[in-house]
Amino acid sequence: MNTPPSPPAAERTDGSSVRIGALVPLSRPGWVEAGQRLLAGLELAVREVNDADGIVGRPLELVVRDTAADPQRAAAAVDELARLGVAALAGEYHSVVARAAAARADALGLPFLCSSAVLDALTEQPTEWVARLAPAQSHGWRIYADFLLGAGHSRIAVAVEPSVYWASGARILRDYLAPRGGTVIELDMRGLAPTAVCDELVDNRATALLLLVGHPEPAVSIVKSVRRDQRLAEVMIGAPAGQPEFAEWATLLGDDSAAIPFLRYLPERLSPLGARVETALRERLGEAPSFVAFDGYDTVAVLADVLRARGADRARTAASWPRVAVEGTRGQIQFSRTPGISVWQWAWAPVQVVDRDPARPDRFRILHTG
């Protein structure tokens, strides 16, 4: 591994805090609700680490930067955090943003544990500096494709906006479904109004529509249009990227928010640690926590374990990824090299396909596990 020297601020001996830079979307056009959940998990874990004597007697400190779903802003934040002497980077939810942060962290020799972004190609070339907790998009979306086939859907329309992430998702679905008798019909949302989507679904005889678009718009308007079109009463709407998990979805769509399957990364039953963390997060958030909050908690749990064992030297932290063995909220976390993925990867967090129960939209039903 090419090891840039750690600046003096990255290895302190004066009893001051050990700092972790946290990249989180906290303002629009970022998915703010996801960012808030991610930050809640990060902060809870930091508090618990410090209640247990910190990092060998030194407090752990989060230095938070809002990425606002902007790759350039994220890259600039990585530069700033590196200058401030953080021992490592944590967080990020948006895949395209995480990719920019990972490229910059790799160039600077700054360890980055990515919490929630799933894009397979998080870096262009294999790197020793970056590890990831969330399952890669190809893993989770293939499980979603299995769910679609099992539910009898073989003609699947995808409403797609321009984005590396959405294009990657459409390609994963197409490549996986085609050999299994499935057809993916791409609807380019640059040229279609939400109401025109309905006509496309009818013309193409689609039985399912997947939302590969931004939240809240145009996702919410598309759902409203499809739900109100009597020709499409039997069409399933899906959202593999997880838009329906957050409370804002239910607030904006009411009863229409239910029965829209999405991916989440939780086990059927939480471990004792997971159950304890869920209770603490529920108290902190005032509602049931998203899996994204567990991503945040587990990120700090891993980094704290590495920092206790290896100190705050950046090169030693990055060299520790293959030796990590930490009990997380959703199972034992270990990193390995996974074919087609350029970073150290936890393979895998548990994957579920769930939806909001039409009888109780505040509750989730598990439809499929992978």
Side-chain angles (χ1 to χ4, degrees), residues 1 49 55 59 70 83 95 100 197 200 243 294 306 355 357:
M1 179 170 64
V49 167
I55 307 299
D70 183 335
R83 288 194 301 271
S95 282
V197 170
E200 292 286 340
Q243 296 96 321
F294 291 96
V306 170
D355 70 359
D357 187 340

Side-chain angles (χ1 to χ4, degrees), residues 75-101:
V78 174
D79 286 342
E80 180 199 3
L81 290 165
R83 288 194 301 271
L84 290 174
V86 299
L89 291 175
E92 196 44 52
Y93 178 83
H94 296 285
S95 282
V96 176
V97 178
R99 190 173 65 158

Side-chain angles (χ1 to χ4, degrees), residues 1-184:
M1 179 170 64
N2 184 18
T3 307
S6 294
E11 180 71 79
R12 299 172 184 268
T13 57
D14 58 2
S16 60
S17 61
V18 177
R19 293 186 287 179
I20 294 173
L23 303 174
V24 189
L26 295 173
S27 59
R28 297 286 189 192
W31 200 336
V32 175
E33 197 169 356
Q36 292 168 340
R37 301 305 179 267
L38 178 57
L39 184 59
L42 293 165
E43 290 177 338
L44 173 64
V46 167
R47 188 182 73 191
E48 292 188 0
V49 167
N50 288 333
D51 287 346
D53 198 35
I55 307 299
V56 196
R58 296 164 61 190
L60 187 62
E61 178 188 353
L62 274 187
V63 184
V64 180
R65 292 296 180 267
D66 173 18
T67 62
D70 183 335
Q72 291 183 321
R73 183 165 169 171
V78 174
D79 286 342
E80 180 199 3
L81 290 165
R83 288 194 301 271
L84 290 174
V86 299
L89 291 175
E92 196 44 52
Y93 178 83
H94 296 285
S95 282
V96 176
V97 178
R99 190 173 65 158
R104 207 63 205 116
D106 180 54
L108 294 171
L110 180 57
F112 175 29
L113 180 49
C114 182
S115 301
S116 296
V118 299
L119 196 66
D120 282 44
L122 207 54
T123 55
E124 292 295 329
Q125 302 295 329
T127 175
E128 301 295 324
W129 294 98
V130 183
R132 172 168 56 193
L133 286 175
Q137 187 180 20
S138 59
H139 179 72
W141 287 46
R142 285 170 188 156
I143 290 170
Y144 195 93
D146 281 333
F147 158 73
L148 291 172
L149 291 172
H153 298 291
S154 60
R155 292 190 63 79
I156 298 147
V158 291
V160 185
E161 286 187 312
S163 160
V164 171
Y165 174 65
W166 298 127
S168 171
R171 184 175 63 252
I172 291 163
L173 292 168
R174 186 172 57 249
D175 291 350
Y176 190 79
L177 290 167
R180 294 163 178 83
T183 300
V184 173

Side-chain angles (χ1 to χ4, degrees), residues 146-326:
D146 281 333
F147 158 73
L148 291 172
L149 291 172
H153 298 291
S154 60
R155 292 190 63 79
I156 298 147
V158 291
V160 185
E161 286 187 312
S163 160
V164 171
Y165 174 65
W166 298 127
S168 171
R171 184 175 63 252
I172 291 163
L173 292 168
R174 186 172 57 249
D175 291 350
Y176 190 79
L177 290 167
R180 294 163 178 83
T183 300
V184 173
I185 304 133
E186 291 195 31
L187 307 180
D188 186 344
M189 294 310 298
R190 288 174 297 183
L192 284 177
T195 50
V197 170
C198 298
D199 293 332
E200 292 286 340
L201 295 176
V202 172
D203 292 345
N204 285 285
R205 306 188 318 282
T207 65
L209 168 67
L210 305 187
L211 303 171
L212 276 56
V213 296
H215 167 81
E217 291 299 337
V220 167
S221 292
I222 294 171
V223 172
K224 288 179 177 178
S225 294
V226 173
R227 291 287 204 225
R228 282 154 181 68
D229 193 318
Q230 293 302 310
R231 300 173 298 171
L232 304 174
E234 301 302 316
V235 169
M236 186 205 85
I237 304 174
Q243 296 96 321
E245 183 173 20
F246 296 102
E248 184 184 25
W249 181 264
T251 300
L252 292 171
L253 282 166
D255 290 344
D256 286 341
S257 67
I260 299 178
F262 63 92
L263 286 165
R264 71 174 183 181
Y265 309 124
L266 288 176
E268 195 165 354
R269 286 186 181 82
L270 289 166
S271 67
L273 170 63
R276 179 182 65 73
V277 170
E278 180 186 41
T279 298
L281 287 167
R282 189 185 290 269
E283 291 174 358
R284 192 180 189 92
L285 294 166
E287 63 183 18
S290 159
F291 71 86
V292 178
F294 291 96
D295 287 339
Y297 183 95
D298 287 341
T299 300
V300 170
V302 169
L303 288 175
D305 184 79
V306 170
L307 292 168
R308 288 189 191 106
R310 302 281 169 175
D313 179 80
R314 293 170 176 174
R316 289 201 296 265
T317 295
S320 297
W321 299 136
R323 290 188 285 276
V324 164
V326 173

